[in-house]
Amino acid sequence: MQEAILEALSKVIDPELRIPLTELDMIGAISITPAGIADVEIKLTITGCPAARRIESESKQAVESVAGVSSANIRLTVMTPAERDALKAKLRGGKPLKHNPFDKDTLTNIFLIGSGKGGVGKSTITANLAVCLAAQGLRVGLIDADIYGFSIPGQLGIKDKPTRVDELILPPVAFGVKVISIGMFIEGNTPVAWRGPMLHRAIEQFLSDVFWADLDILLVDLPPGTGDIAITLGQLLPTAKTIVVTTPQISASEVAERSGAVGLQTGQAIFGVIENMSYLETGGTRIELFGSGGGELVAKHLSELSGTAVPLLGQIPMSIPLREGSDTGNPLLGQVGNDLAAEAIEQIAQTIAGVGRNLAGRRLPLSTS
Ligand code: ADP
């Protein structure tokens, strides 16, 4: 019976860590009376764990589904410091504390999404790409590094703060995406007036203290422009590739190119250019509100600058549902229905997903024959 209960509990996933409770060693004592009343102790990682109620109800349901159990009493307790240390060591997978898991040996495909100026839809596209990639079953992380203009939590409807297990930070999960943002660490709408070293430290923490587990894709929403953060991230994420978001306006292309060029300076390849707000389609006609050709031009110039072909990954039209989804924390790519912008974003997500695991720099096993 104990085994059957454990088997049932192995289907209950910790909502923050996204790992079955049984693998997290969260199950304590189990007893069962002859009348079939089960008493199960679940050891939470910390007191006041925000996911406690959900874990409790899902565990109760799981235990009560076991044949022979008439009802289940779930007792929530908290791990001892020693148990918590053991769990943290397990989560780090033998890696030392303060280890950046996205160094040159990472298998995660990392994309830095930047733009020359604000308001071009960089965050909207990043959030929707992340949701779309996660919906395909990929393990996706999203860092909102737009320190001064963070908007990702709002776009994905995240109100939770990350849970801390001592120095380990568990990122909230929305639409299947693990998300971390500076907005989660400041109160209300306090302006962030940080300078270089503090920003550097915050970004480092986002990489090394957050429990990302094994990700297929990490998207990073950069602040607009060519500042400190892009350089810091470039150094900390040596395998990252840059994506530049721009509008069709030719006059905006130069500033967009400069943002792509920063990545080149820190050694990142440019993955491609996304043109947003390309046109508005109404009644079968396309209106080019912001002109045309900006995306092509940025791609052309970045190709010349980098010496490799930089593609235009897609052109995303103006879309009221896209804007509304972002405003209400319910991203368009998490909804069903037809929309030209959603289709364009989906296509770009396909290109990103097509890259496969990052095997660049890996040594192939030598054949002995
Ligand atoms: P950035 O991150 O570049 O500063 P945002 O993603 O915050 O820009 O977008 C700025 C505004 O434009 C937001 O209100 C967003 O909803 C809206 N927006 C972005 N892309 C589109 C689009 N293709 N159609 C309609 N509105 C858009």
Side-chain angles (χ1 to χ4, degrees):
M1 191 65 115
Q2 289 230 349
E3 259 172 42
I5 289 176
L6 280 174
E7 169 64 26
L9 286 170
S10 72
K11 309 270 173 357
V12 182
I13 312 288
D14 181 286
E16 291 173 307
L17 292 163
R18 315 224 106 196
I19 297 174
L21 302 189
T22 44
E23 281 177 38
L24 295 168
D25 302 324
M26 285 171 72
I27 316 298
I30 299 177
S31 63
I32 181 148
T33 67
I37 301 170
D39 184 278
V40 178
E41 178 194 7
I42 306 241
K43 295 186 271 187
L44 301 173
T45 47
I46 49 156
T47 36
C49 168
R53 289 293 146 249
R54 183 155 158 204
I55 293 174
E56 184 182 14
S57 71
E58 289 184 12
S59 302
K60 186 172 166 63
Q61 208 177 356
V63 176
E64 287 178 347
S65 72
V66 173
V69 173
S70 55
S71 76
N73 174 37
I74 306 295
R75 262 184 315 114
L76 297 179
T77 61
V78 177
M79 288 184 174
T80 63
E83 285 168 339
R84 201 158 47 235
D85 284 347
L87 172 64
K88 282 184 294 180
K90 196 171 182 175
L91 292 176
R92 284 200 303 271
K95 299 270 166 49
L97 250 162
K98 307 285 171 200
H99 168 82
N100 167 13
F102 304 112
D103 61 9
K104 64 179 182 9
D105 294 323
T106 185
L107 291 177
T108 303
N109 270 305
I110 306 170
F111 298 91
L112 303 178
I113 304 179
S115 65
K117 54 179 188 158
V120 300
K122 169 180 55 62
S123 305
T124 305
I125 292 170
T126 308
N128 278 281
L129 280 174
V131 169
C132 183
L133 290 162
Q136 294 174 23
L138 293 166
R139 294 163 299 178
V140 182
L142 170 47
I143 295 180
D144 181 5
D146 193 347
I147 301 274
Y148 303 110
F150 54 83
S151 64
I152 294 288
Q155 300 219 14
L156 294 177
I158 302 173
K159 296 198 179 67
D160 298 341
K161 299 268 179 203
T163 305
R164 272 175 178 270
V165 178
D166 303 333
E167 69 287 340
L168 202 66
I169 300 169
L170 310 186
V173 179
F175 300 90
V177 181
K178 286 184 171 170
V179 184
I180 209 84
S181 167
I182 197 75
M184 296 169 183
F185 298 90
I186 60 170
E187 285 309 319
N189 204 17
T190 325
V192 181
W194 292 359
R195 309 197 66 159
M198 259 178 102
L199 290 175
H200 188 87
R201 176 78 202 101
I203 297 292
E204 256 178 348
Q205 257 196 313
F206 284 178
L207 300 176
S208 57
D209 295 358
V210 172
F211 175 66
W212 294 108
D214 197 12
L215 293 180
D216 296 307
I217 292 178
L218 176 68
L219 301 181
V220 184
D221 185 11
L222 291 180
T226 54
D228 282 357
I229 292 177
I231 295 166
T232 289
L233 277 162
Q235 289 163 346
L236 292 170
L237 302 171
T239 68
K241 300 171 190 73
T242 309
I243 293 177
V244 177
V245 181
T246 190
T247 61
Q249 248 167 311
I250 300 291
S251 63
S253 60
E254 237 174 71
V255 60
E257 280 156 37
R258 278 203 295 276
S259 76
V262 176
L264 287 176
Q265 280 166 16
T266 45
Q268 268 87 35
I270 303 177
F271 187 71
V273 175
I274 297 175
E275 187 184 270
N276 188 29
M277 309 188 181
S278 296
Y279 55 88
L280 174 71
E281 188 160 295
T282 69
T285 24
R286 288 186 174 189
I287 305 168
E288 290 174 335
L289 286 171
F290 297 113
S292 66
E296 277 292 358
L297 193 67
V298 174
K300 179 172 169 276
H301 285 169
L302 287 176
S303 300
E304 286 163 8
L305 203 63
S306 64
T308 51
V310 173
L312 178 61
L313 298 168
Q315 291 175 295
I316 303 169
M318 301 291 294
S319 156
I320 292 175
L322 180 67
R323 200 264 307 146
E324 280 175 346
S326 289
D327 282 352
T328 55
N330 186 18
L332 180 61
L333 272 284
Q335 306 169 25
V336 280
N338 295 333
D339 183 271
L340 286 173
E343 278 168 28
I345 294 173
E346 229 167 71
Q347 201 119 61
I348 298 167
Q350 292 302 347
T351 310
I352 289 176
V355 176
R357 290 289 261 178
N358 177 34
L359 297 173
R362 297 249 130 186
R363 225 174 272 159
L364 293 173
L366 290 176
S367 161
T368 49
S369 59

